[in-house]
Amino acid sequence: MWLGTPDDFWPAAVLALGTTITACILLIILIAKDAGVAVHANYPATSTTKFFLAFGTIYFSFGGAASFPTFQNDMKNRNDFPKAATMGFAFLLLLYLPVAVLGYVTYGDKVEEDVIDSITPSTIKSIIQILLALHMLFAFLLVINATSQEFEEFFKILTVKFGWKRMAIRSSMMLFIVFVAQSIPKFGKVLNLVGGSAITLTASVFPCIFYYRLCSLRSHDLKWPERRIPIHEKIYLIVIIVYGILGGCMSTYAAVKDIAEPKSFVPPCYVNLTAENNDSKVDDESPKETNRERSGYSLWIAVILLRVE
């Protein structure tokens, strides 16, 4: 976490890829095994709210796109980045799409937010959980790096030189992330909010706008050649921007509406250290608001605002 750029810890990318490939293959095998013995699954009708909540969830998986400029900057041949990105997304699609489709076909409306929770307990399931935990550890180092460099640049800290200032900045960021994670016991609903708002902007809207803007720049400097965008590519960019804005707005509205429901608020562990099984207590709470609930509401609102910013 304290190393400079992804070029300094590139093995983390290899390990993250290896763990997720192995986990997805094992996951597909277990879901297929459950499909052979599962009872008939029920597939409820979808709704507009569910569609846009799913929109935010899907977009959240593209959160790493904001780190792409950092990855490209560390490549030996930066012109090969489009090929690398295309191959990477195509390969991940081959891994993730079967998991999503097979999981829904097998479990239907009984599928959990985390499909692993729907699988029959076994040793292989535990191995999958360990592999995914390792994947999150290694992938986190890559994704958080771009944000770390931005903060270091803001505080005028040299990113090429290791020192206590870098350690202090990145350690503080890590503590804040841990606080957010502990403050939101049910992160799925906030995931929809962040995916529909911030990630939609960083993955679809801003890249298209910045690309168009950079290609439109005119300079007498020979290091910045003149670029022209074909008309069909301009239309393509505009369509992505419009759909990103409209979909993001609708997804954000659906996520905020979902979060506003009383059952969505679960106080974090540090609000009431003696509370047991907070999830079950939410369903049994009376309409009367307690002090514990009010504390949970305040923390939720504060964390959501900080996260979106």
Side-chain angles (χ1 to χ4, degrees):
M1 185 181 71
W2 293 332
L3 297 177
T5 67
D7 186 48
D8 299 323
F9 49 89
W10 62 266
V14 178
L15 293 172
L17 180 61
T19 53
T20 193
I21 290 175
T22 307
C24 285
I25 293 175
L26 294 177
L27 191 56
I28 292 172
I29 293 174
L30 288 187
I31 296 176
K33 184 178 178 181
D34 284 349
V37 297
V39 296
H40 179 70
N42 181 35
Y43 307 107
T46 187
S47 63
T48 304
T49 301
K50 291 181 179 179
F51 174 83
F52 283 107
L53 287 176
F55 181 93
T57 302
I58 294 172
Y59 253 95
F60 190 88
S61 64
F62 292 93
S67 302
F68 282 0
T70 302
F71 302 155
Q72 184 179 17
N73 186 62
D74 289 335
M75 293 179 64
K76 291 182 179 180
N77 187 359
R78 299 172 185 174
N79 293 327
D80 288 337
F81 178 77
K83 298 178 182 178
T86 302
M87 292 177 60
F89 277 116
F91 186 71
L92 291 178
L93 185 64
L94 293 176
L95 286 176
Y96 293 158
L97 193 59
V99 173
V101 174
L102 190 58
Y104 183 71
V105 170
T106 302
Y107 305 111
D109 60 346
K110 300 299 182 182
V111 66
E112 301 289 342
E113 290 185 355
D114 187 348
V115 69
I116 299 177
D117 294 333
S118 303
I119 299 175
T120 304
S122 64
T123 303
I124 298 180
K125 177 180 177 179
S126 300
I127 294 175
I128 293 174
Q129 292 173 322
I130 294 173
L131 289 172
L132 291 179
L134 291 174
H135 166 77
M136 292 299 298
L137 174 63
F138 296 128
F140 175 78
L141 297 176
L142 299 170
V143 175
I144 197 64
N145 185 263
T147 306
S148 300
Q149 292 187 53
E150 288 293 330
F151 273 95
E152 290 167 7
E153 183 178 355
F154 177 79
F155 289 105
K156 296 180 173 54
I157 299 174
L158 295 177
T159 57
V160 295
K161 185 178 180 181
F162 183 84
W164 69 269
K165 293 182 179 179
R166 177 195 292 176
M167 294 175 60
I169 289 292
R170 299 194 181 188
S171 297
S172 299
M173 291 177 58
M174 191 65 218
L175 290 174
F176 176 73
I177 292 172
V178 172
F179 171 76
V180 172
Q182 292 298 321
S183 299
I184 308 176
K186 290 186 176 181
F187 191 70
K189 296 182 182 296
V190 178
L191 182 148
N192 298 331
L193 174 63
V194 176
S197 56
I199 306 301
T200 302
L201 293 175
T202 58
S204 288
V205 180
F206 288 162
C208 295
I209 294 177
F210 296 161
Y211 172 72
Y212 188 90
R213 175 58 179 164
L214 289 172
C215 291
S216 301
L217 291 178
R218 298 291 183 268
S219 175
H220 298 292
D221 190 352
L222 296 178
K223 294 182 179 180
W224 190 264
E226 183 177 350
R227 295 176 173 85
R228 295 184 181 275
I229 303 178
I231 185 64
H232 69 276
E233 190 172 334
K234 290 182 180 180
I235 296 175
Y236 182 61
L237 293 174
I238 293 173
V239 170
I240 294 177
I241 293 172
V242 171
Y243 273 95
I245 293 175
L246 293 178
C249 290
M250 295 300 296
S251 178
T252 301
Y253 172 77
V256 171
K257 182 179 178 181
D258 190 42
I259 290 175
E261 295 181 359
K263 292 184 179 181
S264 299
F265 296 95
V266 180
C269 59
Y270 52 77
V271 172
N272 188 356
L273 297 177
T274 61
E276 296 181 0
N277 197 5
N278 283 332
D279 291 344
S280 62
K281 286 188 176 183
V282 173
D283 296 331
D284 298 332
E285 288 284 352
S286 61
K288 183 178 180 180
E289 185 182 50
T290 63
N291 290 331
R292 181 165 62 91
E293 286 176 324
R294 285 193 292 269
S295 300
Y297 295 165
S298 301
L299 285 168
W300 263 89
I301 295 172
V303 170
I304 290 171
L305 291 175
L306 288 172
R307 181 65 176 173
V308 172
E309 290 177 359

